[in-house]
Each structure stands twice: as C-alpha cells, then as structure tokens.
Amino acid sequence: MAVTIATSLSSTVKLNDGVDMPLFGLGTFRCESGANKEAENAVVSAIQLGYRYIDTAVLYGNEEDVGRGIKRSGVKREDIFVTTKVWDDCHGYDECKKSFQASFKRLDCGYVDQLLIHSPNGGRNVEMYKAMLEFKQQGLVRSVGVSNFGIHHIQGLLDAGMPTPSVNQIEFHPWMKRPKLVDFCREKNIVVVGYCPIVRQQKFDDPDVVRLSKMLNKSPGQILIRYSVQMGIITIPKSGNPKRIKENAEVFDWEIPQEGMDSLNSKEESGITWDPCSSSNPWLG
Ligand SMILES: NC(=O)c1ccc[n+]([C@@H]2O[C@H](COP(=O)([O-])OP(=O)(O)OC[C@H]3O[C@@H](n4cnc5c(N)ncnc54)[C@H](OP(=O)(O)O)[C@@H]3O)[C@@H](O)[C@H]2O)c1
C-alpha cells in the first residue's frame, strides 16, 4: 500500500474498508475522568484546535468524558473520528458484545468510528472479531481493527477467514520501529497507528533529540511527533494540557532533514510499554 504522510490535522487515509481515517489524533490514556474534567476538557481543546480523531479505550476509564467532550466541542459528530477498544478481560463473543454495548452507552455519540481488539492477550481473537463485525453490520461501528497484534496474531485472523483488520495500533517511535511488522501490515493493506510517539517523555534527553530540537527550534515532543509523521505512521500523542495539545499539533510546516531521520532511525529497539507482540512476552507463552 502507498504510505500517506499527514500534511495537516485534517489529512486522512482511506482504510481497506473504505472508511476515511484522520492521520493525526489525540491519545487519552491517563487523561483523568471525573471531577477535574481533564479528559473532557482535553477533547474539547483538541477538537477546537482542529484535531479530528480521538483515541480512547475501556481501559482508560474515560469514554463518557470523551463523549461529553465531543458534544461540547461544537464540531459536527460526523467530522470527528472516535476509536475505542475492547479490553483483554472481554475476549470471546458474548464478552465482547457486552463490553461494546457498555462502551457505546458511555460514549453516547451515535456510532463508533473504529473498534479495536486492545491486545491479543485474551487469546480469543476470532470470536471477539466476529462480534465486532456484527456491530459493523448493524451500523454501530464503521471500521474494525486490532491493536498490539504481531504478525502471527494477524495471520491467525486471516487464516480463520476473517476480513483484514483496517488498522493495527502498536507502539511506534525511534526506539520501537518494528520494520517487519510495519512492512507486513502495509503488504496486507493494514494501516499502522503508532502509540507512545513521544515515548512518555523518557527520551527527551537523547543526544539526537536534543540536537535536532536546538537545530530546528522545536520542542523534543515535536521532534518525536514529526518523526512519526515523516515515517508515514498515524500518530496519537496524549496530552491533558491545552498548551501541549496545541504544541503537539504544530508539526506540519517544517521537516526533520534526512540526516536527522537517519540518526533517529539508528536507535536500538527498546520498547517502553507492555509490548504484547514481543515473542518474549510471558503472556504469550
Ligand atoms: N493500544 C495500546 O495498547 C496503547 C498503549 C499505550 C498508548 N495508547 C494510545 O496512545 C496514546 C499516546 O501514548 P501515551 O499516552 O502512552 O504516550 P505519549 O503520547 O508518548 O506521552 C504522553 C505523555 O507525554 C506528556 N506530553 C505530551 N505532550 C508533551 C509535550 N509537548 N512536551 C512534554 N510532555 C508532553 C503527557 O503529559 P501531559 O498530559 O501532562 O501533557 C504524557 O505524560 C495514548 O494516550 C493512548 O490513546 C495505546
């Protein structure tokens, strides 16, 4: 598949199911729900700044806040793309159905643009996927995909005769480039969505990040977000802070030069999250 590079917050890519998906979004993991309205306010700020894609999950505990933020933003529902995910404790057909029905109520936004299996760890991917496809048929979900799937997990779905997932959402940044998995997804026409683009601030003192940040007069966060953009990966930086939400989106009118991309591409692989795709992951046996 041809790789599409985002040129603005409203750039989109056509998924293998015909749905147009924005190439840049707001992550909401650890965006707090409830009294301080962090998650709701972050969603409102992001949408009002031009973000068109919000990523949430049952696990994040903020689907209601995301739904409220979308309503409060003043932007038409059909102009926003919302992804949520079914967590590991709801693998299986009936479990997935129950989980999504609850997500649907919490989000309360008419339909869900994209529903993902959060990870393959629950082990009942095919049953779960079948339930998700029924939601699509019923018009409750527009696009069905996966997250944290390795090649063998995706192949397992395809071997069972399932339609190809629209996306695979995986950890992606200079220390987690996963070329084999990314190439496999692209060969199968599966769009890669990269999470943890700014490596949760853990690599802000990397010498190349510091050097590029000074050279281009951009923050370390912007350098890392721009890296994902230039790699043609959909990216979803999280921030609950309106200033950073704005800063993170200011990555479309400048470029990291090739030598800078080369230096970031030369980093050794060392993921920072739970990495369920890894063959050394004890959950996979
Ligand atoms: N599918 C999965 O299994 C999975 C796993 C992890 C993440 N995700 C998704 O991907 C999204 C992004 O990943 P992530 O949240 O783990 O990590 P991330 O986006 O790499 O980093 C988020 C952290 O960086 C801070 N930050 C944001 N912008 C900044 C800036 N410009 N300068 C300095 N610090 C900044 C945020 O704090 P403030 O909020 O205070 O700004 C937050 O602590 C998640 O929110 C979630 O939607 C999915």
Side-chain angles (χ1 to χ4, degrees):
M1 73 185 282
V3 174
T4 317
I5 310 264
T7 54
S8 76
L9 278 177
S10 53
S11 297
T12 59
V13 62
K14 199 166 279 302
L15 302 176
N16 62 24
D17 51 15
V19 171
D20 291 317
M21 176 172 183
L23 288 164
F24 193 97
L26 178 76
T28 66
F29 179 50
R30 294 191 179 137
C31 240
E32 276 178 42
S33 169
N36 76 6
K37 294 200 174 181
E38 187 196 16
E40 181 179 329
N41 288 339
V43 170
V44 175
S45 296
I47 295 176
Q48 290 181 347
L49 279 163
Y51 285 61
R52 289 294 173 263
Y53 160 31
I54 312 292
D55 181 76
T56 182
V58 173
L59 181 72
Y60 307 167
N62 58 19
E63 288 172 310
E64 277 183 26
D65 311 74
V66 167
R68 276 198 301 270
I70 290 171
K71 286 193 200 99
R72 248 183 67 204
S73 72
V75 171
K76 282 191 286 183
R77 167 69 187 92
E78 57 269 34
D79 292 339
I80 314 287
F81 190 99
V82 191
T83 296
T84 193
K85 316 181 192 85
V86 184
W87 183 236
D88 293 356
D89 57 1
C90 288
H91 268 235
Y93 182 85
D94 292 335
E95 295 85 342
C96 175
K97 286 213 145 176
K98 259 191 216 151
S99 170
F100 176 71
Q101 279 153 2
S103 288
F104 190 79
K105 262 196 197 153
R106 284 190 294 263
L107 281 161
D108 188 26
C109 57
Y111 56 89
V112 170
D113 294 277
Q114 192 171 60
L115 184 63
L116 309 182
I117 299 181
H118 204 136
S119 95
N121 289 329
R124 295 168 69 196
N125 299 329
V126 175
E127 295 93 317
M128 200 173 182
Y129 202 72
K130 281 182 182 163
M132 288 164 57
L133 291 169
E134 284 185 20
F135 291 128
K136 190 177 165 204
Q137 262 180 347
Q138 292 161 7
L140 306 178
V141 168
R142 296 176 63 225
S143 185
V144 166
V146 297
S147 177
N148 295 302
F149 270 43
I151 292 175
H152 57 296
H153 302 113
I154 297 173
Q155 197 58 56
L157 285 183
L158 301 181
D159 291 347
M162 297 294 112
T164 307
S166 59
V167 302
N168 188 15
Q169 185 182 120
I170 55 174
E171 183 176 344
F172 185 88
H173 46 71
W175 296 268
M176 198 70 163
K177 295 177 288 293
R178 304 176 145 169
K180 277 191 194 152
L181 178 56
V182 170
D183 286 352
F184 175 85
C185 288
R186 287 176 171 166
E187 271 163 31
K188 298 284 180 198
N189 205 12
I190 298 168
V191 169
V192 177
V193 180
Y195 68 70
C196 289
I198 49 184
V199 206
R200 297 183 179 162
Q201 306 174 328
Q202 291 177 24
K203 299 287 185 182
F204 282 8
D205 57 358
D206 173 87
D208 287 308
V209 173
V210 172
R211 179 177 69 80
L212 290 166
S213 173
K214 283 188 186 147
M215 184 175 100
L216 298 168
N217 198 21
K218 301 293 171 191
S219 71
Q222 287 174 314
I223 297 294
L224 291 172
I225 294 168
R226 180 69 207 177
Y227 169 81
S228 284
V229 170
Q230 283 182 225
M231 292 296 283
I233 300 287
I234 297 187
T235 188
I236 47 174
K238 177 266 172 179
S239 181
N241 172 328
K243 269 196 193 153
R244 287 175 175 170
I245 292 173
K246 182 168 182 293
E247 175 188 317
N248 293 348
E250 290 170 342
V251 292
F252 297 109
D253 57 354
W254 55 277
E255 271 183 19
I256 301 173
Q258 191 54 51
E259 67 78 17
M261 290 300 286
D262 292 344
S263 60
L264 294 174
N265 272 328
S266 70
K267 302 295 169 193
E268 271 187 31
E269 301 274 306
S270 61
I272 55 132
T273 64
W274 55 322
D275 190 17
C277 301
S278 157
S279 54
S280 60
N281 184 335
W283 291 343
L284 295 178

